[in-house]
Amino acid sequence: MRKTAYPLLALTMLLWAGNSIAGKLAVGHVSPMVLVTVRWGAVFLILLATQAHQLKRDWALIRARWVYLLSWGAIGFTGFSVALYYALHFTTAVNTSILQGGMPLFVFAASFALFGSRVHLEQVLGFTLSFIGVLVIALRGEWANLVTLNVNFGDALMLLAIIAYGFYTAALKAKPMLHWTSLMIMLCLGATLSALPFLALEAASGSTILPDLEGWALIAFIVLFPSLLGQVLYIKGVELIGSNRAGLFINLLPLWGALLAVLILGEEFHLYHAIALAMILAGIALAERRSLTRP
């Protein structure tokens, strides 16, 4: 299971890092709530059109837990997406990627708050080591930069986003035993319905931007890769190794974000990026040490 989960979760983080890049590129080409609503509405319609038969098979379980499923779709999908896409109007894609590296802390906290889950010493040490790697990227290898950091409105929004997704990740532990397609359909339905009031508020404020050609291209990318494929891979990863361990892989987000910036924006890859990569991977390995050596 670990051999399957690890590459799935690493790929998930690469796709999610791409979501931040695409969200930043979308500024001025489509407004945040149009993007959020079309994103989850499109995934919902794609899955419903192709997997309605599976939804019917799982309907008895869904009917018993439909409030739970719609609620976590609203929190994990819409809550995170709204905060992310608005944050990208005020901060950089690099910052949003770096801040997402803090998600494991909130996954640990949410798992404890919701289920009283135990957090082992190896997990704490592994998270700490990985997060130091995140800080290496955040500070560009210069610890003196720590004293000049300021939290702007966009960064504050991202903190709200990662708190929401931390609780969503932990809550997946209690999901009904549905096929993954049925789970995604219900989560995306909850996300779409909960996005509509925000879309109406955006329209009322006169800030709606309908997508142009570039906007549609970015929406297509976000729908197919970070939203559809990425969420499916993440759910499978959580099923295989649990939310605490799966959440730790989110520390790869800053690394993938930096690599995408090199490939897409032509930025340089510095020595501190390599150092951060080594620390992040070492932290993940340390956190997994308990499960590899103990029953």
Side-chain angles (χ1 to χ4, degrees):
M1 289 190 296
R2 286 188 290 267
K3 289 181 179 179
T4 301
Y6 295 168
L8 291 183
L9 290 166
L11 178 57
T12 298
M13 299 312 140
L14 176 60
L15 296 175
W16 286 356
N19 181 44
S20 291
I21 301 297
K24 186 65 175 179
L25 291 173
V27 174
H29 296 281
V30 57
S31 56
M33 287 317 308
V34 173
L35 177 54
V36 171
T37 307
V38 174
R39 175 188 184 182
W40 296 119
V43 176
F44 169 73
L45 291 175
I46 290 170
L47 290 175
L48 186 64
T50 59
Q51 301 295 326
H53 61 283
Q54 185 63 52
L55 189 68
K56 292 179 182 178
R57 294 194 189 105
D58 291 331
W59 188 248
L61 289 172
I62 291 171
R63 184 170 55 187
R65 302 290 301 280
W66 67 272
V67 174
Y68 169 92
L69 294 169
L70 295 182
S71 297
W72 287 110
I75 293 170
F77 288 5
T78 297
F80 179 84
S81 297
V82 171
L84 170 63
Y85 294 137
Y86 273 109
L88 287 165
H89 281 68
F90 301 97
T91 190
T92 65
V94 172
N95 275 15
T96 60
S97 296
I98 289 169
L99 287 170
Q100 286 177 74
M103 278 187 187
L105 174 63
F106 294 97
V107 174
F108 292 159
S111 294
F112 177 78
L114 294 175
F115 306 110
S117 300
R118 295 178 62 187
V119 178
H120 301 293
L121 177 61
E122 291 92 337
Q123 291 176 313
V124 175
L125 294 176
F127 165 76
T128 302
L129 182 59
S130 292
F131 195 69
I132 291 173
V134 171
L135 289 178
V136 170
I137 293 179
L139 303 175
R140 301 182 299 283
E142 297 289 341
W143 293 103
N145 289 330
L146 184 63
V147 297
T148 63
L149 285 181
N150 292 312
V151 177
N152 64 21
F153 183 62
D155 294 334
L157 284 176
M158 275 310 302
L159 288 175
L160 294 177
I162 63 176
I163 291 171
Y165 214 85
F167 275 95
Y168 161 76
T169 300
L172 286 178
K173 178 179 179 180
K175 68 179 178 62
M177 296 301 294
L178 302 173
H179 190 271
W180 70 265
T181 54
S182 298
L183 177 63
M184 279 294 293
I185 288 171
M186 293 305 297
L187 292 175
C188 290
L189 176 59
T192 305
L193 293 176
S194 61
L196 293 176
F198 292 99
L199 179 64
L201 288 173
E202 185 180 78
S205 69
S207 55
T208 298
I209 301 175
L210 296 178
D212 56 15
L213 184 61
E214 184 173 342
W216 280 118
L218 291 167
I219 288 173
F221 169 81
I222 290 171
V223 166
L224 294 176
F225 294 100
S227 305
L228 185 56
L229 182 58
Q231 292 296 336
V232 169
L233 294 180
Y234 189 63
I235 287 171
K236 296 300 292 184
V238 170
E239 287 180 347
L240 289 171
I241 62 174
S243 60
N244 273 3
R245 292 158 64 194
L248 188 67
F249 278 75
I250 296 171
N251 278 309
L252 288 173
L253 264 174
L255 170 69
W256 293 145
L259 291 176
L260 288 176
V262 170
L263 294 174
I264 296 173
L265 304 176
E267 298 179 356
E268 296 182 5
F269 188 85
H270 298 285
L271 176 61
Y272 66 81
H273 289 134
I275 295 172
L277 171 60
M279 298 183 73
I280 289 169
L281 294 179
I284 292 173
L286 178 60
E288 288 297 315
R289 182 170 176 267
R290 178 185 178 88
S291 61
L292 291 170
T293 59
R294 305 181 191 179

